[in-house]
């Protein structure tokens, strides 16, 4: 159990899931220290603790931050996330996601920080077998990533297991399915640049803030022909990180858990939810399939429920979409919220 007020180093804490997790840590009585180079993160998203602007490949800066703040645990979000880009730029993905994680683990070993929670992904499973048309994906399913991104996440899990066994750390890998939605209070939300995810792109199309959505294939072997995913509210993901930090795991232990809802939602069902939240139809056209998109990815999350007592409570598609629409109507930062972000910066958010 992490003691109240303990400092938790959150690499990538100025990013989407990282910022929501910092809020949850703060509300749980912990002290998030954001470690982010702001290459993709937003200074205005850092509101619940101090900010250290540095890179995860800077092993020395990592170790100094861990020692200076007497860090009790690390949550590692820092990394690149775009699947398509990972295939074009494996150099960057292995450098940041794998060599960067090696720096984090080495610094933890040197600074004697005992616990890491790691952002992993459903991408480690690759293309589930055809018989998974209706079944849920368990943690024991075959792991054969089809993208460099997925491979960096699987490698990251293996590195943590090896460091834990050799040096007595303990690690929990959380395999996210489709993170979506935004903080209820409207202070933080999804602001990727460039944006590639379905829900923000469809909302921007519906609000007239972006071009029409292209649906990547309507000829999949699913009831309506579009891909099915398991969308989880980012606030539910955030609470899982707090639970994972407190999970009683012996030194040297490693656990991996899926975070999803067990409910699949198709692209057309997402669009219908957005139509109703925005109050007008989302403009879209049907295009070709995107490389590497499995027809259906839905998580079995019983392990997280059993081990962490975690259950998603905000992850109905209507709640996810409603919170995301509210954010995109008035983003506090990101492409459409630059002026407001500037204001937040000058007030100081750390
Ligand atoms: N989609 C569209 N049009 C778009 C964007 C997406 O039709 O403009 C479709 C995709 O084809 C897919 C679904 O919407 O069927 C969801 O796509 P996202 O890009 O929002 O999310 P992914 O399921 O591709 O990716 C998520 C995470 C990744 C992770 C992956 C694992 O964002 O980090 O799941 O499969 F690697």
């Amino acid at each position: 159990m992490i003691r109240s007020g303990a400092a938790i180093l959150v690499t990538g804490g100025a990013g989407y899931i990282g910022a929501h997790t910092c809020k949850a840590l703060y509300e749980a009585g912990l002290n998030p220290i954001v470690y982010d180079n702001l290459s993709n993160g937003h200074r205005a998203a850092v509101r619940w603790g101090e900010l250290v602007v540095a890179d995860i490949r800077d092993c020395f800066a990592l170790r100094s931050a861990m020692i200076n703040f007497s860090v009790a645990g690390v949550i590692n979000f820092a990394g690149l996330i775009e699947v398509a880009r990972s295939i074009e730029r494996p150099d960057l993905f292995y450098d940041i996601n794998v060599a960067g994680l090696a720096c984090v683990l080495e610094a933890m070993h040197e600074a004697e920080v005992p616990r890491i929670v790691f952002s992993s992904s459903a991408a480690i499973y690759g293309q589930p077998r055809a018989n998974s048309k209706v079944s849920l994906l368990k943690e024991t399913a075959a792991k054969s990533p089809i993208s460099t991104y997925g491979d960096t996440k699987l490698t990251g899990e293996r590195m943590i297991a090896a460091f834990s066994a050799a040096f007595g750390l303990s690690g929990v890998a959380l395999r996210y399915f489709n993170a979506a939605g935004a903080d209820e209070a409207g202070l933080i939300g999804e602001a990727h640049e460039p944006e590639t995810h379905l829900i923000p792109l469809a909302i921007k199309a519906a609000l007239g803030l972006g071009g029409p959505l292209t649906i990547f294939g309507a000829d999949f072997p699913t009831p309506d022909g579009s891909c099915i995913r398991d969308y989880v509210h980012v606030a539910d993901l955030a609470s899982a990180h707090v639970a994972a930090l407190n999970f009683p795991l012996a030194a040297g232990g490693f656990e991996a858990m899926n975070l999803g809802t067990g409910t699949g939602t198709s692209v057309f069902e997402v669009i219908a939810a957005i139509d109703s939240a925005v109050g007008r139809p989302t403009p879209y056209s049907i295009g070709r399939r995107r490389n590497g998109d499995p027809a259906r990815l839905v998580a079995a999350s019983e392990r997280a429920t059993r081990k962490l007592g975690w259950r998603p409570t905000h992850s109905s598609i209507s709640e996810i979409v409603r919170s995301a629409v509210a954010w995109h109507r008035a983003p506090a930062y990101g492409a459409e919220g630059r002026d407001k972000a500037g204001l937040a910066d000058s007030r100081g958010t750390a």
Side-chain angles (χ1 to χ4, degrees):
M1 184 82 183
I2 304 261
R3 73 180 156 74
S4 174
I8 306 299
L9 194 78
V10 185
T11 75
Y16 173 46
I17 308 174
H20 287 80
T21 298
C22 286
K23 183 181 185 195
L25 290 168
Y26 177 82
E27 288 175 348
L30 298 169
N31 176 22
I33 308 294
V34 172
Y35 184 102
D36 200 305
N37 68 1
L38 300 180
S39 58
N40 293 308
H42 302 271
R43 192 181 284 274
V46 182
R47 309 184 69 103
W48 293 279
E50 289 191 50
L51 170 64
V52 176
V53 181
D55 195 288
I56 52 161
R57 292 161 296 179
D58 186 342
C59 306
F60 181 78
L62 274 168
R63 190 184 54 187
S64 302
M66 289 178 198
I67 292 169
N68 291 344
F69 290 98
S70 304
V71 163
V74 171
I75 306 183
N76 191 69
F77 291 103
L80 300 179
I81 60 164
E82 291 159 49
V83 175
R85 187 154 176 254
S86 77
I87 293 160
E88 292 154 17
R89 293 300 307 267
D91 52 333
L92 291 179
F93 275 69
Y94 286 112
D95 187 28
I96 296 169
N97 294 11
V98 175
L101 178 63
C103 266
V104 172
L105 293 169
E106 187 187 317
M108 286 176 67
H109 177 45
E110 288 170 2
E112 298 181 2
V113 178
R115 162 79 43 122
I116 182 166
V117 178
F118 175 62
S119 287
S120 188
S121 169
I124 68 166
Y125 297 114
Q127 291 274 11
R129 286 198 308 275
N131 69 2
S132 64
K133 263 188 199 160
V134 288
S135 66
L136 305 180
L137 208 50
K138 289 193 177 140
E139 287 84 354
T140 47
K143 281 138 210 99
S144 45
I146 51 171
S147 67
T148 301
Y149 168 73
D151 193 53
T152 64
K153 290 294 170 186
L154 185 55
T155 305
E157 288 196 11
R158 290 176 171 153
M159 286 164 63
I160 293 169
F163 268 74
S164 295
F167 302 129
L169 313 176
S170 64
V172 179
L174 299 176
R175 297 174 182 160
Y176 317 143
F177 279 62
N178 289 64
D183 176 52
E184 268 306 309
L187 296 173
I188 48 177
E190 188 166 12
H192 294 123
E193 194 55 55
E195 188 54 81
T196 61
H197 294 106
L198 173 67
I199 291 183
L201 287 176
I203 290 174
K204 285 182 187 183
L207 293 175
L209 299 169
L213 179 76
T214 303
I215 296 180
F216 296 140
D219 57 350
F220 287 91
T222 59
D224 66 19
S226 68
C227 284
I228 292 175
R229 293 289 180 274
D230 187 344
Y231 296 91
V232 197
H233 197 292
V234 64
D236 284 329
L237 293 181
S239 69
H241 291 77
V242 180
L245 268 181
N246 285 305
F247 176 54
L249 191 58
F254 174 77
E255 280 280 353
M257 299 172 207
N258 288 342
L259 295 181
T261 65
T263 301
T265 307
S266 73
V267 173
F268 285 118
E269 288 167 339
V270 167
I271 291 173
I274 293 172
D275 292 352
S276 122
V278 171
R280 57 173 168 265
T282 303
Y284 70 80
S285 63
I286 295 179
R288 285 208 308 243
R289 289 186 182 192
R290 186 170 67 176
N291 259 348
D293 271 343
R296 184 174 189 278
L297 270 181
V298 184
S301 293
E302 283 74 21
R303 191 183 280 182
T305 302
R306 200 172 64 249
K307 302 213 176 216
L308 302 181
W310 178 80
R311 275 177 211 283
T313 54
H314 301 285
S315 293
S316 67
I317 199 66
S318 59
E319 183 165 349
I320 287 174
V321 161
R322 192 181 41 70
S323 67
V325 168
W327 166 258
H328 286 288
R329 281 196 157 125
Y333 50 82
E336 297 103 32
R338 257 185 203 124
D339 295 341
K340 281 211 263 167
L343 263 182
D345 286 353
S346 64
R347 279 197 303 268
T349 51

